């Protein structure tokens, strides 16, 4: 897969060591945030480094598939003690404390923000002035904005980038281009001129992770499994018996699934380690 020259080197301004605060966002649903999050969970697991998971998402897909504890930040009955209004900064407080404590705990964090909740999240980080903490505490904060092919997704990516530029100018922003519905960069040529120009400017300005397309049947099976990519890849060890049991599919389909996920995950792990170089050290497992 051909890469833009700006993606060949390590992410500008990001340190060689952790911890990092990763924020998966996109201002839309079904863009691939959970899929990206699971690959990040896999990368930290392979590197043997701690990663605390948080979700601000009513669907809670991450907690269903990660196989490890995920703290939910959105509690519907949460109310301000002085009234009935929801206080955005109170909602994200557990995550904020984990992020700002990271220089002492040395634990990275990953937060997945549901598309509809992105505006609420930005109100919260603006109230808390997280950007000030980035500089005063030496935090490494990385928003990863996920985009799929299509004008709606491109427009929503651009809108989310504007929020990040306003509220987190000192963060290191990364774009994740999800190819499952086609190549977002090729699809943009059919979009309106202002959207096309803004999209092309963004992919030149920010580091990019390219998420390759997986065979449709394999992705459909993968989506209904509650397993990390690394777990699925390990199913080749017993001659695919576990893959057959878990999927309920015949041997040929189960075997193709494992091979497809292995190829896709290997590419994603390389992409992630290029963006997060401290994950490239000695791996375990």
């Amino acid at each position: 897969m051909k890469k833009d020259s700006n993606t060949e080197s390590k992410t500008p301004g990001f340190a060689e060591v952790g911890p990092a605060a990763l924020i998966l966002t996109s201002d839309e649903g079904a863009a691939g945030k959970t899929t990206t999050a699971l690959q990040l969970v896999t990368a930290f697991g392979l590197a043997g480094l701690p990663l605390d998971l948080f979700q601000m998402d009513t669907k809670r897909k991450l907690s269903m598939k990660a196989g490890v504890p995920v703290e939910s930040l959105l509690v519907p009955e949460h109310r301000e003690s002085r009234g009935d209004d929801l206080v955005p900064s109170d909602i994200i407080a557990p995550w904020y404390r984990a992020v700002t404590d990271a220089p002492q705990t040395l634990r990275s964090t990953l937060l997945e923000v549901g598309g509809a909740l992105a505006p609420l999240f930005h109100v919260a980080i603006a109230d808390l002035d997280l950007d000030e903490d980035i500089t005063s505490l030496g935090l490494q904060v990385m928003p990863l904005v996920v985009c799929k092919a299509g004008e709606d997704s491109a427009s929503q990516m651009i809108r989310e980038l504007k929020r990040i530029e306003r509220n987190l100018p000192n963060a290191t922003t990364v774009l994740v281009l999800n190819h499952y519905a086609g190549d977002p960069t090729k699809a943009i040529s059919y979009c309106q001129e202002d959207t096309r120009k803004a999209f092309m400017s963004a992919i030149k300005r920010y580091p990019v992770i390219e998420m390759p397309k997986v065979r449709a049947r394999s992705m459909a099976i993968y989506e209904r499994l509650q397993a990390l990519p690394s777990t699925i890849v390990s199913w080749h060890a017993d001659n695919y018996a576990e893959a057959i049991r878990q999927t309920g599919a015949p041997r040929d389909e189960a075997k193709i699934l494992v091979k497809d996920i292995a190829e896709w995950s290997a590419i994603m792990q390389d992409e992630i380690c290029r963006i997060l170089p401290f994950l490239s050290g000695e791996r375990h497992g």
Side-chain angles (χ1 to χ4, degrees), residues 91-279:
I91 293 172
I92 71 164
W95 169 78
Y96 173 80
R97 292 164 189 162
V99 170
T100 53
D101 285 346
Q104 288 73 47
T105 65
L106 302 180
R107 298 185 68 85
S108 294
T109 57
L110 184 153
L111 168 63
E112 181 180 344
V113 181
L117 297 174
L120 183 66
F121 172 72
H122 280 280
V123 170
I125 61 174
D127 284 349
L128 292 169
D129 199 355
L130 178 62
D131 196 67
E132 178 184 55
D133 299 319
I134 292 175
T135 54
S136 63
L137 301 179
L139 305 178
Q140 298 189 92
V141 176
M142 177 179 283
L144 294 101
V145 184
V146 187
C147 178
K148 60 186 178 184
E151 185 155 10
D152 285 347
S153 189
S155 297
Q156 288 160 338
M157 181 195 82
I158 293 162
R159 181 164 56 245
E160 182 64 5
L161 286 174
K162 288 179 179 178
R163 292 187 186 121
I164 292 169
E165 289 164 357
R166 180 175 63 250
N167 296 321
L168 291 173
N170 287 301
T172 302
T173 302
V174 172
L175 305 181
V176 180
L177 301 185
N178 188 352
H179 288 238
Y180 91 96
D183 185 338
T185 306
K186 291 181 179 178
I188 201 68
S189 63
Y190 301 99
C191 298
Q192 294 183 5
E193 183 178 5
D194 56 345
T195 303
R196 182 171 67 252
K197 286 182 176 179
F199 178 92
M200 295 307 296
S201 175
I203 66 172
K204 290 178 181 178
R205 180 176 180 182
Y206 297 108
V208 174
I209 288 176
E210 302 275 3
M211 184 190 299
K213 183 177 181 178
V214 179
R215 194 183 329 229
R217 184 173 61 187
S218 292
M219 179 53 76
I221 297 173
Y222 168 76
E223 287 289 343
R224 71 171 187 256
L225 294 172
Q226 296 184 11
L228 289 172
S230 54
T231 300
I232 296 173
V233 172
S234 72
W235 290 346
H236 79 283
D238 61 357
N239 203 21
Y240 304 101
E242 185 65 14
I244 295 168
R245 188 184 73 82
Q246 290 280 351
T247 63
R251 179 180 175 81
D252 55 323
E253 293 183 12
K255 186 174 183 179
I256 289 171
L257 166 73
V258 173
K259 290 183 175 296
D260 283 351
I261 297 303
E263 180 180 2
W264 168 61
S265 190
I267 294 171
M268 283 298 294
Q269 293 307 304
D270 286 345
E271 291 280 279
I272 288 168
C273 288
R274 174 173 53 80
I275 295 296
L276 297 169
F278 66 87
L279 296 176

Side-chain angles (χ1 to χ4, degrees), residues 53 63 76:
L53 304 182
S63 60

Side-chain angles (χ1 to χ4, degrees), residues 51-104:
L51 179 66
D52 296 327
L53 304 182
F54 298 83
Q55 59 187 356
M56 190 174 176
D57 188 350
T58 54
K59 294 181 180 179
R60 302 184 180 183
K61 289 175 61 179
L62 182 59
S63 60
M64 291 187 289
K65 296 180 72 70
V68 293
V70 180
E71 182 166 354
S72 179
L73 297 180
L74 188 64
V75 182
E77 63 271 17
H78 190 105
R79 292 292 183 273
E80 184 181 13
S81 59
R82 294 165 297 177
D84 293 328
D85 293 333
L86 213 61
V87 180
S89 58
D90 285 352
I91 293 172
I92 71 164
W95 169 78
Y96 173 80
R97 292 164 189 162
V99 170
T100 53
D101 285 346
Q104 288 73 47

